[in-house]
Amino acid sequence: MAIQQVETKATGLWQSFAPSAPKDQESFWMDYEKLIAKSKKQQRNYRAVAPVQAHYTVPRSTALPFVFAVDTHQKKSYLLEQFKQTIHQVMIPLAIAGCFLNMVLLLQKPYVLMAVFANMLGAIFCLSIFFFCFQKRISELNTLIEISPQSLTRIGGGFRSQKIHYYDIAEIRHTTRGMSIICYDSIHSKDRLYEALVIPKAFQHYQQAQALIKHYWSNHQVKMVVK
């Protein structure tokens, strides 16, 4: 299969993508993964024959950057869901640990006042952690995510502007918050991974954003194979 044929087929397959039909999505990604595998094989063969000319380009139909922002109609329900999730993930474990510490201190009469003081500090600590985590969820909703063939860019929300190139992405995870972009830590150690950014599932056209990122990331992996 010639490289131009692979690109033409990829463009046609991408244009047939239907985010509103889960069954069609499963078939789409199966076909797309097969096409990527064929493309990688073709690129390796092509590089062996003409290494200077070997290249892989993103179809022009998806070459322009796209900007995604929160869907105001989903914002309230998303924040309520994240509020409950934060309570389960942060408050409950800390409360259990606090109760265990109280039992130990209250069994020792000289430490009753210390137990009361520890309760006050524990409550302040728990609330601080809770509000910090929940405020991060709110900030993520107030960001803009720009998706281009070369990189992802996060703007606003109280975060510093951040650009992530696809070659830095180690994996993509799907969580209760949305799409989590996991990157290599190029500063400290390439073996260390960290969560670079999250695209909340309350964003407008969230499924299209997911599909675009997977599309560009897959294209970049093909490029890495032939280098």
Side-chain angles (χ1 to χ4, degrees), residues 63-161:
L64 296 176
F66 294 86
V67 178
F68 294 85
V70 68
D71 183 345
T72 55
H73 298 292
Q74 297 186 49
K75 187 173 183 179
K76 184 176 180 180
S77 59
Y78 175 83
L79 287 176
L80 180 60
E81 179 186 350
Q82 293 307 308
F83 183 84
K84 294 177 181 177
Q85 287 286 338
T86 307
I87 288 176
H88 285 293
Q89 294 173 0
V90 178
M91 296 296 286
I92 292 179
L94 290 176
I96 293 173
C99 289
F100 177 77
L101 178 62
N102 279 338
M103 290 176 62
V104 173
L105 292 176
L106 289 173
L107 289 175
Q108 307 294 327
K109 291 184 178 180
Y111 298 108
V112 172
L113 289 177
M114 185 180 292
V116 174
F117 184 67
N119 279 335
M120 293 175 62
L121 288 180
I124 294 172
F125 177 74
C126 290
L127 288 173
S128 299
I129 295 295
F130 172 80
F131 283 114
F132 172 80
C133 293
F134 190 63
Q135 181 59 45
K136 187 177 180 181
R137 309 292 192 270
I138 297 175
S139 298
E140 288 170 351
L141 280 183
N142 294 327
T143 60
L144 297 176
I145 302 294
E146 183 183 277
I147 302 174
S148 72
Q150 294 77 33
S151 62
L152 303 173
T153 304
R154 178 177 66 185
I155 305 168
F159 300 103
R160 63 181 179 84
S161 295

